[in-house]
Amino acid sequence: MIVGNAKPLAEILQMIESHQKIIIAGCHGCVTVCRAGGEKEVQILASALRLAREAVKNPLEIREVSLERQCDPEYLETMRPYAGDYQAVVSIGCGAGVQFLAEHFAALPIYPGINTNFIGVTERQGEWAERCQACGDCMLHLTGGICPIARCSKSILHGPCGGSVDGHCEIDKDVPCGWQLIIDRLRALNMMDSYEKLRPMKSWRTSRDGGPRRIVREDLTR
Amino acid sequence: MKAGSNLEKVLAAGHFAVTAECGPPRGADPEQVRKKTPFLKGFIDACNVTDNQTSVVRMSSLAGSMILAENGIEPLMQMVTRDRNRIALQSDVLGASALGVRNLLCLSGDHQTFGDDPEAKNVHDIDSIQLLDLVRMMRDEGKFPSGKELKGAPKLFLGCAVNPFADPYDIRVPRLALKVAAGADFVQTQCIYNIDKFERYMADLRQRGLHEKVAVLAGVTPLKSAGMAKFMKRNVAGMDIPDEVIKRISSVGKKEQPQLGIDMCIELIERLKGVEGVRGVHVMAIEWEEKVEEIVSKAGLLPRP
């Protein structure tokens, strides 16, 4: 899922300083699962903003909304009938949701209420960790199902570097060395013979480096 | 000869090589580099010039290399993949060779979180092994990795670094084999304090026959004090300083510790000279260049060829 976390309240208060009537829009997708932008978080943010604005005698009217998904036009359109009654929207969907709202509601300022962090997993309750950088050319079959791009701090293709000690990365003792994990898996799978293969320089054209990406599926667009 | 550097010639002639290290200054004053040169000239075969080590911004390794060369010291330019993509790396390889640099050490570099600019973008377009392969291809095949012909191939004697003390131990020799296959002509090791572990590494390396394909230059750093030893053990990832080494340097008073550190370094070099496959030493006297002559001289390595 796409993992996000709340922006500081002060930052959001500053964004909406000049508004008296706003929508807070949540999303039932990824950000609900990672507890950053679902229905419950919409309520919590709305209450916090109301209280903060009452305290400075500048009350704020808020409509609390939770869309099925902010990344699909049909769900965004459900806001159409009432959006014009408000001065702005704070979206607590991911960065894609915030931008898609902005595209669809040209006359309304749209503000991000969360920071979008990474594509990751729930390691345990309340703890999420990165797994994928969306490089667009998956090589997990070669690395024991553990991604060197996402899990090595230097994204090196022939690791581990000299900074790997006791299974952790040189940048932080709480960060597992991605290449130690890869070696452990390759060994368990009896795949270490592939370790000494020289891997060609990776093409980053399929990653963000090639410019903004798009996928067109002719079978579905026709 | 692949590049014709002095270091390459010294090794090819079968001499025990000596390299040292010079970190460029944190500023634009060339005098800071020049003032170190009398401590090095004539005592070593080539001098590493670091590339923003520990991710702290310094004068570029190419500029530092040129200042050393002007002062009669052969530079061994370090190049990390942390800060430049393949376009910039290729361009700087060409530029360095054009200006007369003949030795290049390919590294990935310390992560930028260690330096003064932890907010910097982490490039790592290619890794250090791919950099070796890229420069070897440019040098030996006269081609860019894109396949386009070079007008004048770079002449660079290629090196890599290894840390025999990092984990997991059993991939350390295979990983060096990868670097040799990619193009490493010589290798400089992380500072050695745990000589027993290093000898085991060399034995594993010889078993693969790698000592015949790559010149191993053993890394040494004289300890200035017991405090320095304890600090490095605690704070430098992959630095293996056995307790008995710390005990020994702590056994004398603070005033005597620097001289004991020098003596221990000389003893270590004497022992390294006897390890099969070790073809030289890399003396990293960090901000202590004035001691290089004493170390090299007392280790019986003067005059240089």
Side-chain angles (χ1 to χ4, degrees), chain B residues 27-298:
Chain B
D29 178 10
E31 216 35 63
Q32 302 298 315
V33 183
R34 282 187 203 121
K35 73 180 188 194
K36 291 179 178 180
T37 58
F39 303 126
L40 301 167
K41 191 175 172 181
F43 310 134
I44 56 172
D45 305 317
C47 185
N48 286 43
V49 184
T50 53
D51 182 5
N52 299 299
Q53 79 268 30
T54 64
S55 303
V56 169
V57 178
R58 290 168 181 276
M59 181 190 290
S60 74
S61 57
L62 178 54
S65 293
M66 295 323 295
I67 298 170
L68 285 190
E70 282 166 10
N71 289 275
I73 296 172
E74 175 167 285
L76 194 171
M77 186 172 122
Q78 298 194 180
M79 184 176 249
V80 302
T81 58
R82 177 193 59 223
D83 310 317
R84 282 167 285 191
N85 70 10
R86 69 191 74 176
I87 300 171
L89 291 168
Q90 289 172 71
S91 167
D92 285 349
V93 161
L94 296 179
S97 180
L99 289 171
V101 173
R102 289 291 173 265
N103 306 295
L104 184 76
L105 190 76
C106 301
L107 307 165
S108 58
D110 299 309
H111 195 270
Q112 74 275 11
T113 49
F114 293 106
D116 293 343
D117 297 279
E119 304 88 355
K121 185 149 175 142
N122 165 275
V123 179
H124 296 294
D125 175 18
I126 65 176
D127 66 26
S128 61
I129 297 182
Q130 292 165 330
L131 178 60
L132 282 167
D133 188 46
L134 180 156
V135 184
R136 181 204 49 77
M137 183 193 221
M138 290 166 81
R139 181 191 67 191
D140 297 347
E141 298 171 32
K143 278 192 302 199
F144 286 106
S146 63
K148 301 223 165 73
E149 296 279 319
L150 277 158
K151 288 190 178 78
K155 291 189 187 76
L156 291 159
F157 191 48
L158 286 178
C160 66
V162 292
N163 183 1
F165 312 104
D167 292 320
Y169 172 76
D170 50 345
I171 62 94
R172 293 295 148 193
V173 169
R175 191 156 183 264
L176 174 61
L178 257 170
K179 292 186 174 192
V180 173
D185 302 309
F186 68 93
V187 50
Q188 293 176 317
T189 78
Q190 170 70 291
C191 325
I192 299 161
Y193 295 101
N194 186 344
I195 181 75
D196 296 331
K197 189 162 185 187
F198 179 69
E199 287 192 334
R200 180 182 152 202
Y201 174 81
M202 286 304 297
D204 290 340
L205 182 155
R206 287 193 303 269
Q207 202 168 23
R208 291 277 308 256
L210 289 172
H211 61 307
E212 282 157 6
K213 295 180 182 156
V214 69
V216 178
L217 308 183
V220 295
T221 290
L223 292 170
K224 273 183 187 168
S225 64
M228 172 186 174
K230 288 176 195 157
F231 177 85
M232 291 204 302
K233 187 183 173 92
R234 203 170 47 238
N235 296 304
V236 183
M239 185 69 76
D240 183 351
I241 308 185
D243 290 337
E244 58 261 33
V245 171
I246 294 179
K247 223 165 142 187
R248 188 169 166 204
I249 188 95
S250 311
S251 69
V252 298
K254 270 199 175 150
K255 271 194 180 153
E256 287 82 45
Q257 286 176 1
Q259 190 54 49
L260 180 57
I262 301 281
D263 294 343
M264 286 165 70
C265 183
I266 294 161
E267 273 173 42
L268 180 64
I269 295 174
E270 288 293 354
R271 186 151 165 199
L272 288 164
K273 280 158 78 179
V275 178
E276 189 187 350
V278 172
R279 310 246 319 259
V281 278
H282 178 44
V283 184
M284 291 168 273
I286 304 160
E287 293 303 317
W288 214 16
E289 289 86 358
E290 62 272 26
K291 294 292 176 189
V292 169
E293 179 186 6
E294 181 183 347
I295 294 168
V296 177
S297 163
K298 288 190 178 164

Side-chain angles (χ1 to χ4, degrees), chain A residues 9-10 12-14 16 44-60 62:
Chain A
L9 196 69
I12 303 175
L13 280 166
Q14 202 175 13
I16 59 165
I44 294 168
L45 178 60
S47 305
L49 290 176
R50 269 189 210 107
L51 281 171
R53 289 284 290 261
E54 271 163 27
V56 293
K57 308 245 172 336
N58 182 13
L60 184 66
I62 301 176

Side-chain angles (χ1 to χ4, degrees), chain A residues 1 17 22 41 90 104 123 161 186 207:
Chain A
M1 83 190 102
E17 213 169 12
I22 66 164
E41 289 74 33
V90 172
H104 281 258
E123 283 194 340
C161 76
L186 288 178
S207 190

